[in-house]
Amino acid sequence: MEKHSAREGVELLPQDVIIEILLKLKVKSLVRCKSVCKSWLSLISDSQFTKLHFDLSAPTEKLLFISIWGTDLELPSIDYNESLNHDFSCVRFKVPHGIFHPVYYKFGGSCRGFLILECWNHLRLWNPCTGFHKKVCRSPMDSLKDDSYDLLFQGLGYDPLTDDYLVVQLLKNLYSNDRKGAEVFSIRANKWMEIEPINLSLKSCRDNKRPCRVLNNAIHWLGCCLKEEMEVVFILGFDVTKKKFYEIAAPIDVEHSTDEKALSELAGLLSLCVYKESNRSIEIWRMKEYKIESSWAKTSVVSLVLPRRFFNLLCVTKDGDIVGKDEKELIKYNKKGEVKENLSLARLNLSSFHVEIYKESLFSLPCHNE
């Protein structure tokens, strides 16, 4: 009787009030709300509602972890803007049955709630919040990866003009820095297309193994190239709408640095974090005008009070805290360089792993049939 009365109370609310309330909820709560009644299921599943929710609600950004050689297909995720140790900060997502066998697999980028999962050159797009997933057909260039080419950059982007998701790959010949290949996979067209690679002498380095960042309808990676026989750090951009690569120079103080680096997005601006091993400090640079290389500005320098060995940068929170990891823990430093909190990787059942940054969403894929 009480449940019936509660449902009647919900149904008495005007539709616009219901929409306003639901738009304020997080994705996790909205997934549960789909079970309340058929009208809510229809509303929350509507493409206009999912887009409005993503655009207006400041999507929750999380770290998702995947063990390299593990058999555990429940992947832990951490809301790094919340306390690392609160139970509600950690959610485990179960990889849908049949996506992968328990062997080597990793992430290949994320965009609007979807992630690329890769296992021995087999790719899937997966939204962990909704469970939607789609297999990506084998690329014509897959045979090159097994022979003489190395996959340098991989990412996922969204083209708002065509409502299409694109998987992007750039490969380099193992024996020549100048020989490259590039391709994109269109979800709508369900096929790969070869595109023009960037005219740079690219090199394999640890920087281009870091998670990419998507903003301004473009994918961004850290990369290395040879210029005048010197190794230079730069940012590789890919315009998803134009399907074109371009180069963004790193700050002059950083372009020859061998220090640990990570791309970030702070207040909507492309940002670069640098861990200076020499003095145990972290520099944060922001590009105040997109693609204007002279607009790079060092906005803060954080000296770590208790520096860790083998520290790897991961991301920066909305409050300016810095999140990274060493061999045993996730660590969050505040703006004064003090350890704010830490989380044992053993609690997450992690040892050797890949990590991806993603934003939660309710989106499904265009032409979704899986």
Side-chain angles (χ1 to χ4, degrees):
M1 188 68 181
E2 289 180 1
K3 289 184 179 179
H4 182 71
S5 299
R7 178 175 291 183
E8 282 184 346
V10 169
E11 291 174 349
L12 288 174
L13 289 173
Q15 182 77 348
D16 58 341
V17 174
I18 293 175
I19 292 174
E20 187 176 346
I21 293 171
L22 293 178
L23 285 173
K24 296 181 184 298
L25 299 181
K26 290 191 175 184
V27 169
K28 182 180 178 181
S29 299
L30 286 171
V31 171
R32 292 174 177 171
C33 286
K34 285 184 175 183
S35 303
V36 171
C37 58
K38 289 183 179 180
S39 61
W40 281 26
L41 172 62
S42 176
L43 171 61
I44 296 170
S45 303
D46 182 76
S47 59
Q48 290 185 340
F49 178 87
T50 57
K51 184 180 185 306
L52 195 60
H53 181 267
F54 188 80
D55 292 341
L56 298 180
S57 65
T60 302
E61 203 163 39
K62 291 190 171 185
L63 298 171
L64 187 65
F65 300 88
I66 191 168
S67 294
I68 293 178
W69 292 104
T71 58
D72 185 4
L73 293 186
E74 287 195 354
L75 311 185
S77 70
I78 294 287
D79 184 347
Y80 59 83
N81 285 295
E82 302 288 348
S83 170
L84 299 179
N85 290 287
H86 284 172
D87 290 339
F88 62 78
S89 299
C90 181
V91 177
R92 289 184 176 272
F93 291 107
K94 191 169 185 178
V95 178
H97 177 72
I99 283 189
F100 287 128
H101 298 291
V103 292
Y104 179 87
Y105 44 92
K106 62 181 181 178
F107 298 118
S110 71
C111 178
R112 286 166 48 102
F114 282 94
L115 299 109
I116 298 175
L117 284 173
E118 179 183 3
C119 175
W120 304 129
N121 293 335
H122 292 275
L123 303 180
R124 284 259 181 182
L125 298 192
W126 173 49
N127 185 332
C129 294
T130 63
F132 284 124
H133 60 92
K134 178 179 175 61
K135 184 179 179 180
V136 175
C137 64
R138 293 294 296 267
S139 156
M141 290 188 180
D142 279 349
S143 59
L144 297 178
K145 298 178 196 174
D146 300 330
D147 184 17
S148 56
Y149 279 77
D150 180 31
L151 178 62
L152 281 188
F153 302 100
Q154 184 181 64
L156 178 66
Y158 174 75
D159 182 356
L161 298 182
T162 58
D163 185 31
D164 194 11
Y165 290 84
L166 300 178
V167 178
V168 184
Q169 298 190 145
L170 194 153
L171 299 86
K172 181 190 78 70
N173 188 282
L174 293 171
Y175 311 105
S176 170
N177 289 329
D178 296 321
R179 294 178 62 187
K180 298 175 287 293
E183 58 186 350
V184 298
F185 178 83
S186 163
I187 291 296
R188 279 201 174 276
N190 197 38
K191 67 177 182 180
W192 288 94
M193 297 168 282
E194 192 169 346
I195 58 173
E196 186 71 23
I198 192 166
N199 186 26
L200 286 174
S201 185
L202 300 173
K203 285 201 65 178
S204 296
C205 63
R206 66 176 182 176
D207 287 329
N208 58 32
K209 305 301 181 185
R210 305 303 302 258
C212 55
R213 302 293 291 191
V214 178
L215 70 154
N216 298 326
N217 294 327
I219 311 170
H220 305 84
W221 302 265
L222 277 171
C224 302
C225 64
L226 288 176
K227 291 187 177 181
E228 299 178 356
E229 300 184 356
M230 293 186 66
E231 191 169 304
V232 176
V233 176
F234 76 105
I235 296 168
L236 176 65
F238 179 79
D239 188 313
V240 178
T241 301
K242 297 179 180 178
K243 298 180 178 61
K244 185 176 181 181
F245 290 101
Y246 54 91
E247 175 190 5
I248 298 176
I252 294 175
D253 294 354
V254 177
E255 62 181 9
H256 297 296
S257 167
T258 58
D259 291 312
E260 180 79 17
K261 293 174 283 293
L263 285 176
S264 190
E265 178 188 350
L266 299 173
L269 300 177
L270 182 64
S271 304
L272 179 63
C273 305
V274 183
Y275 176 51
K276 307 289 287 186
E277 183 77 30
S278 57
N279 59 8
R280 301 293 195 271
S281 67
I282 295 173
E283 299 176 350
I284 298 179
W285 296 77
R286 297 192 194 189
M287 178 172 266
K288 297 190 174 181
E289 294 182 61
Y290 187 61
K291 288 188 180 180
I292 306 299
E293 293 159 1
S294 60
S295 72
W296 279 114
K298 188 191 300 184
T299 56
S300 63
V301 178
V302 178
S303 297
L304 303 186
V305 177
L306 291 173
R308 305 297 182 95
R309 293 186 64 196
F310 309 114
F311 181 74
N312 290 317
L313 285 167
L314 292 177
C315 53
V316 180
T317 71
K318 296 173 183 176
D319 297 329
D321 297 331
I322 296 163
V323 181
K325 69 176 184 70
D326 62 11
E327 293 179 309
K328 296 181 179 180
E329 295 179 315
L330 283 180
I331 308 132
K332 183 183 286 187
Y333 288 98
N334 63 21
K335 295 178 182 178
K336 297 179 180 179
E338 301 164 338
V339 176
K340 189 173 182 178
E341 55 182 339
N342 47 36
L343 174 64
S344 169
L345 294 173
R347 281 184 57 188
L348 301 176
N349 296 322
L350 294 171
S351 53
S352 182
F353 59 89
H354 290 289
V355 61
E356 187 66 70
I357 301 168
Y358 78 104
K359 295 179 179 179
E360 289 189 331
S361 82
L362 291 162
F363 288 126
S364 56
L365 291 170
C367 305
H368 175 75
N369 58 3
E370 293 189 53

